[in-house]
Amino acid sequence: MELGMIGLGRMGSNMVRRLLRGGHRVVAYDRQAEAVQAIVGEGAVGAGSVEDLVVSLGAPRAVWVMVPAGEATESAIDALANTLSPGDAVIDGGNSFYKDALRRAAALQTRGIAFLDAGTSGGIWGLTEGYSLMVGGEREVFRRLEPLFQTLAPSPNRGYGHVGPAGAGHFVKMIHNGIEYGLMQAYAEGFELMQAKGEFGIDLAQVAEIWRHGSVVRSWLLELTADALKEDPRLAGLDAYVEDSGEGRWAAREAIDLAIPAPVISLSLQARFRSRQGKPFGARLLAALRNRFGGHPVRNAK
């Protein structure tokens, strides 16, 4: 089977490599010509533009868009809408907002072009471990393109699936990332508590390694925790600054819209916000109030 790929960042390039190893033909395009040339050297067919990519594929075509969510994805799908033909399909594998997927599916449908939103997890390890794929859209289109998903997944019979109509793939991935926020925060808090109990001299890397086997809290995130702590037990080389990709915010807003309590996801997102503040105003105000009503001592800013 053949596929067009737009976007050759680290994840997109690794997906192309996995498809090539699975025997698929891939036509690849990226705004960075060097990225295209690099993947051509590994067996892909290079394209100099979206139009060039489309004419290099046989009908019915399938093009996977793997670029940052927002304007980059919007531009790529708009270009495809003006170039593809009825019966072709667009797959959005980026971290797009699910309501954007609903809108894009409806717009492409008026042109006879199918749309699948493929929530994709696997990060930099997907090339060797495979990708977890949560696919929304028409089931018939999913079935037609299933060999691609089977190649990208950890195995042909697990780690991927059709989860619902258009929008469902990105919705499920949004919730997946919200859960990821909560899991990471729980590990961070637990290991910080152990690190603070200095008199026990706990070897955090050892504990992480112990928990990896047989424990109810074992996970891939725990494996990554063990690796990070072995490499730098005190994490002295890192600043306590944690970004968010946006999907945790979307999940927290969805919880409000649905009136479904999601305190762990919401608080883990708030913890990331706090990590970016050197001297948070709210904490300074708390200190001022305690001083005003109770005469409690404060520490002056340095």
Side-chain angles (χ1 to χ4, degrees), residues 18 129-133 149-156 158-160:
R18 192 168 176 91
E129 302 295 328
Y131 298 91
S132 176
L133 301 166
F149 302 126
Q150 290 176 319
T151 300
L152 290 169
S155 81
R158 70 171 190 269
Y160 79 97

Side-chain angles (χ1 to χ4, degrees), residues 161-245:
H162 180 263
V163 297
H170 285 326
F171 182 83
V172 171
K173 178 57 163 52
M174 176 185 75
I175 302 305
H176 164 283
N177 279 30
I179 293 170
E180 177 186 294
Y181 279 37
L183 289 171
M184 292 170 69
Q185 185 65 28
Y187 282 132
E189 292 176 9
F191 278 89
E192 184 171 11
L193 282 169
M194 289 187 286
Q195 190 270 342
K197 197 68 173 175
E199 63 266 36
F200 283 169
I202 298 171
D203 184 334
L204 300 184
Q206 180 197 27
V207 171
E209 193 63 38
I210 291 170
W211 287 357
R212 284 182 56 193
H213 307 281
S215 167
V216 70
V217 300
R218 65 185 183 272
S219 72
W220 184 46
L221 284 173
L222 186 59
E223 293 178 24
L224 298 177
T225 299
D227 291 342
L229 291 171
K230 287 175 188 173
E231 190 173 299
D232 184 359
R234 299 188 61 82
L235 302 179
L238 296 177
D239 192 8
Y241 186 102
V242 187
E243 275 288 5
D244 69 284
S245 62

Side-chain angles (χ1 to χ4, degrees), residues 269-288:
L269 175 64
Q270 298 295 327
R272 294 192 180 199
F273 295 159
R274 181 62 87 189
S275 77
R276 303 171 206 165
Q277 298 177 303
K279 295 181 179 180
F281 178 82
R284 285 183 281 142
L285 181 57
L286 286 175

Side-chain angles (χ1 to χ4, degrees), residues 13-47:
S13 295
N14 280 344
M15 293 176 77
V16 171
R17 293 184 180 100
R18 192 168 176 91
L19 288 166
L20 292 171
R21 292 176 186 178
H24 300 282
R25 177 178 183 266
V26 181
V27 181
Y29 167 69
D30 191 279
R31 290 182 177 180
Q32 302 296 322
E34 316 86 70
V36 176
Q37 289 305 311
I39 208 68
V40 165
E42 299 187 41
V45 178

Side-chain angles (χ1 to χ4, degrees), residues 274 280-293 296 298:
R274 181 62 87 189
F281 178 82
R284 285 183 281 142
L285 181 57
L286 286 175
L289 290 174
R290 291 186 75 248
N291 176 259
R292 293 296 176 117
F293 75 70
H296 300 290
V298 295

